[in-house]
Amino acid sequence: MSKIKQIFMKQTDLFSILIVLFWLKTYVAYLIEFELGVTGWLQHVILLINPLGLGIILFSVALFSKNKKRRTWLLMGILLAATLLLYSNILYYREFTDFLTMNILVGSNNVSGALISSTLAMMRPWDVLYWIDVIVFLALMYKVKRGQSVFGSRLDISRKAAGTLLLGILMLVGNLMLAEISRPQLLTRTFDRNYIVKYLGINFFTGYDVYQTAKNSHIKASADESHLEEIVSYAKANRAEPNPQYFGMAEGRNVIVIAMESIQQFLIDYELEDENGETHEVMPFVNSLYNSEESFSFSNFYHQTGQGKSSDAEILTETSLYGLPQGSAFQTLGSSNTFHATPGILKSKANYTSAAFHGNVGSFWNRSDTYRQFGYDYFFDAEFYDLSGDRALEYGLKDKLFFRDSVEYLEQLPQPFYTKFLTVTHHFPYPLDDQNSGFPIAQTDDSTVNDFFATANYADEAMEEFFTYLKKTGLYENSIFVMYGDHYGISNMRNPHVAPLIGKDPEEWGEFQNAEMQKVPFILHIPGMDEGEVFDMPSGQIDVLPTLLHLLGIETDDYLFMGQDLLSPGHDSSVALRNGRVITTDYTFITDRIYDNQTGEELSEQFTEAERLELLAERDRARMEMNHSDRLMSMDLLRFYQPESLTKLDPLDYTYSNQMDILQNHPEKQTSVIEKNDGHSTLELYETDAPEIREKMDYIYRPKPGLMERIRN
């Protein structure tokens, strides 16, 4: 018997060879095919070992078969299926920079068809390496005599099958433990498919996705139109009539939304004292907008996000629904749910073009899939920006570069447009490299708190540069700006370190103060308006969409919104936070405790039992809004509710590829800024002090005579 056949007959050697080959090719794919963002030695170790645990478990299943031939073919089937899964993801990732999900495979026939039709174009010469173990296995099978098993006797196999399975389980548990150390709550707070693959592997991700899809499908399958009745009644009764004074004030204008990462309300008008006793305004530009006569601003505006953080803020502000009690709605439901979101509504009602801009990968928070469900015409993610060298930090392109580099795409959009810009530089843990430093850091014993103010100042400067550009192009005067803080930046654990900086006593800090710190800025800036005001009634992100639509002159009476128009006289000033806390005009409810909003004093014992129960009933009414929203989301009930004024969209119409070609050949391109500028880019009008740009500039641009007039006309 030849040496190769001798090895093949030894099941231990063969099994080990197959495991090693499959492990190596998977690890190679991680390194050269997928952009997983691996940093630090621990993440590299996890990436190295994550194919092994579940791989050994899967392959060991074949060892339990009693029939020799069946054992061989079962192992071949597992190897072939695992390889096909890996290679399919490689091909899909090359085209879409994302991983395959059940929703794509089962429900997106057009995408799958496009993938199959373009397979040859996506294949590479080295792809044969991903099939080498399959080829080796088939060759060895061919060498074995007909009817002979590639394994030894049942006794030889059974003695080691259980041990092999146990080894795989132990390695998987170890992998999970390391992943929890590096990224706590990875599976309960999932925000990027890349993270699951990076920490737990492509096979684990597929199994997890199948489980989540099945769970969601079961919930949705139990739903029908009858579940909508109570929610429809609530939404109709909850709607606040628009204020005729403001209705249509911004009709026909472009909408520019800026999600201000981790910006909290206490930063408004805040001056930081440096180590020399001198004070520095942290966000002077945002302050100027907040206090402008051209702005409606809100001083008691709360973020209402949960574990979905920034993505929850997008759900809240663009659908007037809440995120989920656990996990991210974008990640869990964004690929399949029906949404009545701002982009789709504005396209149906006023023929708006829509685009989202984000200097991170589209898979982060599952934005690519969710934006398709929202009806975004265009999505410019990391694929459309240069993130090389020192241009990016952990969460994406630096804000100054992000706004500047977005001009290339913004100027191509037909008007009117709805655009959203997601900033990232002011993100925990608030790092800023030396070349962008200069603003004083706070003087506390917590480095995260200290750096918080410097990155906020950087974000403020980035927004000012962007607005300066918009004014030069004429876009500023014809737009309405929606600016909001997406969620808290300083956690409850660190709030006592902030207390002295904002004039509070850390020793007196408690749950009421933590609730107060959930306030974020909200600014509606309307150039040319002179009726600006800072409103102090409690309000929240759930109210953004109906407020914006009424300002644009769009009725909302046939939509199932949980929020209300903030400018309406009938607005109900009670705000439910995702953790169950409720804020009203006079009181803050934390579990069953009641606090006075003016003094922060707990009042629970000062009410009679009847008064206390009446107040708690008010709290529960506010919480009911979240319950209705959760049912809408988890059961996907909006698929049963189609407003007559809303065009039903097909998410498969939005692929986010070849976007520039589409824009440059758009039938309404004559309304874009670049066409109004005789086809010349307006990027040269953008002024920035970003050192990453300044160091490379070798020219001084001077506008041609009459350029401003041509753009504005």
Side-chain angles (χ1 to χ4, degrees), residues 402-549:
F402 166 61
F403 281 118
R404 176 192 178 274
D405 292 356
S406 297
V407 165
E408 177 184 357
Y409 314 118
L410 178 66
E411 66 184 2
Q412 299 278 354
L413 295 178
Q415 301 183 68
F417 54 66
Y418 171 82
T419 55
K420 176 173 62 177
F421 295 84
L422 302 167
T423 64
V424 298
T425 304
H426 184 60
H427 194 295
F428 176 85
Y430 313 108
L432 202 59
D433 49 24
D434 292 340
Q435 63 180 338
N436 286 292
S437 62
F439 192 83
I441 63 171
Q443 304 300 307
T444 75
D445 57 0
D446 188 300
S447 60
T448 298
V449 172
N450 294 343
D451 296 337
F452 178 83
F453 299 91
T455 51
N457 178 259
Y458 176 91
D460 183 77
E461 292 179 351
M463 286 183 275
E464 183 175 19
E465 291 176 354
F466 182 49
F467 271 69
T468 300
Y469 159 79
L470 294 172
K471 290 177 181 179
K472 290 180 179 180
T473 62
L475 284 173
Y476 172 79
E477 291 84 359
N478 191 39
S479 299
I480 174 175
F481 297 86
V482 181
M483 305 173 68
Y484 65 87
D486 58 353
H487 53 75
Y488 66 81
I490 302 296
S491 65
N492 288 348
M493 177 184 69
R494 289 188 164 91
N495 280 338
H497 297 280
V498 180
L501 301 177
I502 57 177
K504 304 290 184 181
D505 185 352
E507 299 297 324
E508 297 179 0
W509 197 274
E511 288 301 306
F512 173 80
Q513 287 74 24
N514 282 335
E516 287 282 282
M517 291 290 280
Q518 307 314 306
K519 295 177 184 177
V520 295
F522 178 46
I523 305 168
L524 291 164
H525 184 66
I526 310 174
M529 178 189 72
D530 60 1
E531 303 176 52
E533 184 177 348
V534 177
F535 296 92
D536 63 359
M537 76 280 196
S539 51
Q541 292 168 328
I542 199 78
D543 301 317
V544 171
L545 179 54
T547 307
L548 172 63
L549 291 180

Side-chain angles (χ1 to χ4, degrees), residues 111-143:
V111 175
S112 300
L115 178 64
I116 294 171
S117 64
S118 60
T119 295
L120 290 177
M122 290 184 289
M123 292 177 69
R124 303 291 182 266
W126 62 82
D127 288 357
V128 66
L129 295 175
Y130 299 123
W131 295 91
I132 193 69
D133 49 351
V134 176
I135 296 171
V136 169
F137 192 85
L138 287 172
L140 291 175
M141 287 182 68
Y142 180 76
K143 289 283 186 180

Side-chain angles (χ1 to χ4, degrees), residues 235-236 340 345 349 555-561 643 645-646:
K236 299 299 183 185
H340 298 162
I345 294 172
K349 302 284 283 189
E555 287 286 357
T556 60
D557 49 356
D558 55 350
Y559 293 97
L560 300 185
F561 295 157
S645 60
L646 182 64

Side-chain angles (χ1 to χ4, degrees), residues 39 99 151 201 266 275 295-296 353 366 390 411 420 440 477 574:
T39 58
F99 297 100
F151 297 119
F266 74 85
E275 56 187 358
S295 298
F296 296 125
T353 304
N366 193 31
D390 59 357
E411 66 184 2
K420 176 173 62 177
E477 291 84 359
S574 60

